[in-house]
Amino acid sequence: MYPSNLTIESIGKAFRLALANGFIREEDTLVMFHDLSFLQERIHHLNSVFPASTLHAVAMKANPLIRILEFIHQLGAGAEVASLAELKIALKTGYTAEKIIYDSPVKTWLDLEFALTAGVHINIDSLAELERVATLKQTIDSGSTIGIRINPQVGVGTILESSVAGEYSKFGIPIKTGRKELVDAFLIYPWITGVHLHVGSQGCSKELLLSGIGILYDFVNEINEKRKTTGLQPISIFDIGGGLPVSYKGDQIPVSMEDYARAIAVKYPSLFTSHFSLLTEFGRWVHVNAGWTVSRVEYVKRDSGINTAMIHAGADLFLRECLNPKSWQHEYSVFDKTGNLKSGKDMNPYNLAGPLCFSGDILARNVALPMIEEGDYLVIHDTGGYTLSMWSRYNSRQTPRIIGYTGEVFEILKERESFKELEGFWG
Ligand code: LLP
């Protein structure tokens, strides 16, 4: 079966090697790791289950580390970008315009001008944005292809904050109330040749994602009939977004990418034919399970009720785990200072508390773990995406050293932030 998570054996092996080879120095109280061969497998797997012509534009917001972007670019993936800066980073990293999808609900005139000039694929988020693009296209000879983001209004998943296909969403044009305007737009502007949807991120079932695709699939077929009668080119770019959930906890059954792709092919067969250019924007599925983070345990506060392990990451790296702990949980492992995995029958409940100056800075509460001692290391599993990219500057902690590895070969992907760099942030 296709692996959903890294095993504790492979993490333990990499951790011991990193320790033995001096990759974790005294000041590296927190270090993030990425297993590059696991990441590579994910891209290969995507290529193998979708039609070969599909552009897999990996959501940059999940993990914008330049070395990682370079790595997945070399494997043939594209980039989904959500801001002008992400767009510029993708171009600078070597992604060509044909491999970039630009999504954002607040593109300015200047952003649009830049994107149209660069020639990247643009998903328009609103009718007002459509008017801006129409105006700019009168003076810019652009190579961009243009799609419209449509909210299929199929409902929300289990996490409201990352669901975007409910009756209301700040993203896209809603299919129910905006239907007439959408039909008009597709008949007025021949250069709109794509549709885009994204149902949500984590917490959305495969069935919910599929029903979103289904709504747009029917709509596109209807529009293409109409376009045919008026002599317009059909809509041929179909962007299914991202959103396939991953397993963070042993009891979360992973959704198979292979099953998802197969279900799309069965339910909406022409998407897998040459009638359509298929685009995907997976982020979490590509990155999260390839990474893990290790923090030194600085202190352990012992109490009759609960012990608290004081560690070096809290809401700065794990914002949503701290603020919305019911929806966001990880697996944890404890290693001693020489890198041996602690296990055993003697499990005790621990709170895992971060270093930040507010009481909600607790990564997890009441986690059953073996005896933790000062100087041990706590491994937080499945941290390869939506972690560093959501880093908070509160309390001015330096971002950690980031290490990539393939087998026994280690590489520093990004050095621990220097004090000077940190100071620079504040002006
Ligand atoms: N495409 C669009 C338009 C998106 O908004 C997103 C994620 C993706 C693709 C990638 O979705 P994925 O395959 O990674 O689920 N801050 C949140 C994550 C928000 C995701 C936002 N958009 C978190 O706490 O994890």
Side-chain angles (χ1 to χ4, degrees):
M1 222 197 73
Y2 187 77
S4 56
N5 304 74
L6 289 168
T7 62
I8 185 64
E9 290 76 23
S10 78
I11 289 175
K13 190 172 163 217
F15 177 52
R16 278 185 294 279
L17 273 167
L19 264 182
N21 290 299
F23 280 101
I24 304 177
R25 304 157 303 177
E26 178 62 21
E27 66 265 40
D28 293 316
T29 51
L30 185 71
V31 185
M32 300 181 82
F33 286 85
H34 294 275
D35 184 332
L36 299 179
S37 40
F38 191 90
L39 187 56
Q40 174 168 342
E41 257 316 301
R42 293 261 141 159
I43 303 292
H44 286 168
H45 191 68
L46 278 180
N47 288 330
S48 71
V49 300
F50 281 94
S53 58
T54 307
L55 171 66
H56 298 289
V58 178
M60 191 193 288
K61 70 203 91 180
N63 189 337
L65 283 170
I66 304 293
R67 290 289 300 115
I68 296 275
L69 294 176
E70 285 170 355
F71 184 74
I72 56 179
H73 172 245
Q74 278 159 17
L75 298 170
E80 185 262 355
V81 301
S83 68
L84 182 65
E86 284 191 354
L87 171 52
K88 289 182 174 175
I89 288 171
L91 289 167
K92 211 170 154 208
T93 309
Y95 289 79
T96 52
E98 309 80 68
K99 294 238 158 166
I100 300 176
I101 301 175
Y102 181 28
D103 298 332
S104 157
V106 287
K107 307 179 193 83
T108 65
W109 283 98
L110 289 177
D111 297 345
L112 288 166
E113 195 179 326
F114 183 93
L116 284 165
T117 308
V120 301
H121 180 71
I122 302 173
N123 284 321
I124 289 174
D125 192 75
S126 64
L127 292 168
E129 187 186 327
L130 176 61
E131 293 312 318
R132 290 192 188 188
V133 170
T135 305
L136 288 167
K137 275 180 71 69
Q138 289 168 10
T139 52
I140 302 172
D141 180 21
S142 173
S144 288
T145 46
I146 307 288
I148 294 192
R149 177 163 181 172
I150 301 174
N151 173 7
Q153 296 182 294
V154 286
V156 295
T158 57
I159 309 172
L160 202 55
E161 296 79 11
S162 59
S163 294
V164 288
E167 286 301 304
Y168 169 79
S169 170
K170 72 169 189 168
F171 294 100
I173 300 171
I175 187 107
K176 292 180 190 163
T177 44
R179 193 176 185 92
K180 182 179 173 322
E181 289 79 3
L182 277 168
V183 174
D184 289 349
F186 279 107
L187 297 178
I188 294 169
Y189 298 114
W191 40 263
I192 309 174
T193 54
V195 289
H196 171 222
L197 82 153
H198 174 70
V199 169
S201 186
Q202 193 66 7
C204 295
S205 67
K206 184 176 72 187
E207 290 68 31
L208 187 66
L209 300 181
L210 286 168
S211 63
I213 296 176
I215 298 280
L216 256 63
Y217 185 73
D218 293 343
F219 183 66
V220 165
N221 284 335
E222 179 193 320
I223 295 288
N224 279 349
E225 282 304 314
K226 290 198 166 76
R227 285 179 81 139
K228 206 194 295 176
T229 57
T230 50
L232 296 178
Q233 291 291 318
I235 296 163
S236 59
I237 301 174
F238 202 109
D239 182 343
I240 64 169
L244 202 78
V246 300
S247 167
Y248 283 90
K249 292 277 290 172
D251 58 1
Q252 290 171 347
I253 299 165
V255 181
S256 146
M257 185 59 86
E258 193 173 0
D259 288 353
Y260 182 45
R262 195 178 302 126
I264 297 172
V266 169
K267 282 170 145 317
Y268 317 115
S270 65
L271 292 184
F272 272 45
T273 68
S274 58
H275 292 302
F276 284 100
S277 299
L278 199 58
L279 314 181
T280 77
E281 304 175 348
F282 300 107
R284 194 179 304 278
W285 188 86
V286 172
H287 288 296
V288 163
N289 304 124
W292 44 281
T293 297
V294 56
S295 170
R296 191 165 74 212
V297 177
E298 203 59 43
Y299 298 100
V300 182
K301 291 187 173 171
R302 305 208 185 265
D303 195 277
S304 54
I306 184 99
N307 297 323
T308 304
M310 309 299 297
I311 60 168
H312 290 276
D316 41 10
L317 191 59
F318 299 108
L319 185 69
R320 46 179 155 59
E321 287 81 348
C322 293
L323 299 185
N324 185 4
K326 281 204 177 70
S327 299
W328 298 99
Q329 293 164 6
H330 294 256
E331 294 286 347
Y332 305 97
S333 306
V334 183
F335 289 83
D336 70 17
K337 48 170 71 94
T338 60
N340 290 314
L341 180 67
K342 287 193 164 183
S343 54
K345 319 171 227 30
D346 235 8
M347 304 287 263
N348 285 296
Y350 282 89
N351 282 351
L352 306 173
L356 303 184
C357 203
F358 74 104
S359 62
D361 186 45
I362 297 204
L363 170 57
R365 289 170 200 267
N366 253 307
V367 187
L369 288 168
M371 164 77 106
I372 307 183
E373 287 154 297
E374 194 175 306
D376 283 350
Y377 290 99
L378 180 85
V379 166
I380 304 128
H381 295 242
D382 303 304
T383 62
Y386 298 114
T387 43
L388 191 68
S389 62
M390 294 170 65
W391 180 260
S392 154
R393 297 254 67 136
Y394 182 55
N395 283 165
S396 298
R397 306 232 348 145
Q398 285 149 269
T399 60
R401 179 180 255 202
I402 322 260
I403 295 174
Y405 63 97
T406 305
E408 300 190 355
V409 179
F410 288 75
E411 171 194 357
I412 294 171
L413 302 177
K414 185 176 182 291
E415 195 41 282
R416 177 178 144 86
E417 188 174 31
S418 68
F419 176 70
K420 208 167 166 34
E421 286 166 325
L422 173 94
E423 202 188 11
F425 179 82
W426 296 116

